[in-house]
Amino acid sequence: MKKIIAIILISFFMPVSCYGAFFKNDGKTPNVETSKGYVGTLPDLTKEHEPSEPAVSTPIFDKTQDFHSENAIKPIPRDNPTFVNIILKTDKKSPYLNDIQEIIDILEQIYDSIETEENVQRFASRVYYLNMSADYLKDKYEGKPESGYTSFKQIQTVSTQAQEVSTLRSDAEKYKRYLAYSDSGAQYSKNNIDVKMFNLKLSVEKTINILKNTK
């Protein structure tokens, strides 16, 4: 009877001892505790993966020349006639030539106005600017060598002629309702005005050619 009880006790304790031997920590397998998570030793990753050092670029040239060096920037050769006349391209036009260029533009507008039979008001305004420019030219160059130029005299002539035609057209527009009862009706007739306008166009064209050939 005692042997039977001993056998039963041995068989009862054997699974417990085997279970403990199976999960015995031999120093190689990490201990796991569900309440604390993983408590083993992690490998040192910094030894296997060292950070790469940044690449350092080297300059192509050992020495960079200073941009503001006295040897890099040479002074402008203003004493050299070739540089002054070609590179700088100085304006060789005199003030007089610049003035008559503006008058050429006004005369071309008057010529186009006659060609297109522009209304009296627009024609009169263009003639007004011509008269203002001619008076300015006269005040500026009166008594000077420029006042003896053919171009100067022609500008004064065509300016006076244009003013006369402009006044004639304006008066005809103003008094046209009374022309049939006036002795001077023929002066404001369409035929007479057309002749005056044609003659003015010829004078304007002549003046433009003279001014463009003035040097």
Side-chain angles (χ1 to χ4, degrees):
M1 186 65 181
K2 293 181 179 180
K3 292 180 179 181
I4 294 174
I5 294 173
I7 293 172
I8 293 172
L9 292 175
I10 292 172
S11 62
F12 179 79
F13 287 104
M14 183 177 293
V16 178
S17 61
C18 291
Y19 181 84
F22 180 79
F23 287 95
K24 185 180 180 181
N25 190 351
D26 56 359
K28 297 181 180 179
T29 305
N31 294 326
V32 178
E33 293 184 12
T34 56
S35 62
K36 297 183 179 180
Y38 181 74
V39 296
T41 303
L42 294 175
D44 189 359
L45 299 178
T46 59
K47 294 182 179 180
E48 298 180 5
H49 301 280
E50 294 292 338
S52 58
E53 295 183 0
V56 179
S57 60
T58 57
I60 300 176
F61 304 102
D62 295 335
K63 183 179 180 181
T64 303
Q65 184 181 13
D66 187 5
F67 178 78
H68 298 286
S69 174
E70 295 181 357
N71 296 327
I73 303 177
K74 295 182 179 180
I76 297 175
R78 297 186 180 276
D79 296 335
N80 189 338
T82 303
F83 180 84
V84 174
N85 295 331
I86 297 178
I87 305 301
L88 293 183
K89 295 180 180 179
T90 54
D91 188 6
K92 297 181 180 180
K93 290 184 178 180
S94 66
Y96 177 77
L97 293 178
N98 290 329
D99 290 336
I100 65 174
Q101 181 59 51
E102 296 180 4
I103 296 180
I104 290 175
D105 297 337
I106 299 174
L107 289 173
E108 289 178 343
Q109 293 176 9
I110 293 177
Y111 185 90
D112 293 338
S113 179
I114 298 173
E115 282 279 283
T116 59
E117 298 182 357
E118 202 169 30
N119 62 59
V120 176
Q121 289 76 15
R122 294 298 300 274
F123 175 77
S125 65
R126 299 187 190 282
V127 172
Y128 172 79
Y129 283 115
L130 174 62
N131 295 152
M132 292 289 291
S133 299
D135 290 342
Y136 167 79
L137 205 70
K138 183 177 181 180
D139 294 339
K140 185 176 181 179
Y141 296 104
E142 187 69 34
K144 296 181 180 180
E146 289 82 358
S147 62
Y149 293 171
T150 301
S151 57
F152 179 89
K153 296 178 180 179
Q154 186 62 33
I155 290 172
Q156 304 304 320
T157 300
V158 74
S159 176
T160 301
Q161 184 180 359
Q163 182 59 52
E164 292 175 354
V165 175
S166 179
T167 301
L168 180 65
R169 290 189 66 186
S170 297
D171 290 345
E173 189 73 14
K174 186 187 304 182
Y175 303 124
K176 61 182 178 181
R177 66 179 64 182
Y178 309 108
L179 294 180
Y181 308 98
S182 174
D183 295 337
S184 59
Q187 179 182 356
Y188 300 107
S189 66
K190 184 178 183 305
N191 291 335
N192 184 55
I193 292 177
D194 288 342
V195 171
K196 297 290 186 181
M197 292 287 286
F198 179 77
N199 292 335
L200 176 61
K201 186 176 74 170
L202 295 179
S203 297
V204 169
E205 185 178 14
K206 175 184 177 181
T207 306
I208 292 174
N209 291 331
I210 291 175
L211 298 185
K212 285 186 176 181
N213 288 286
T214 302
K215 298 180 180 180

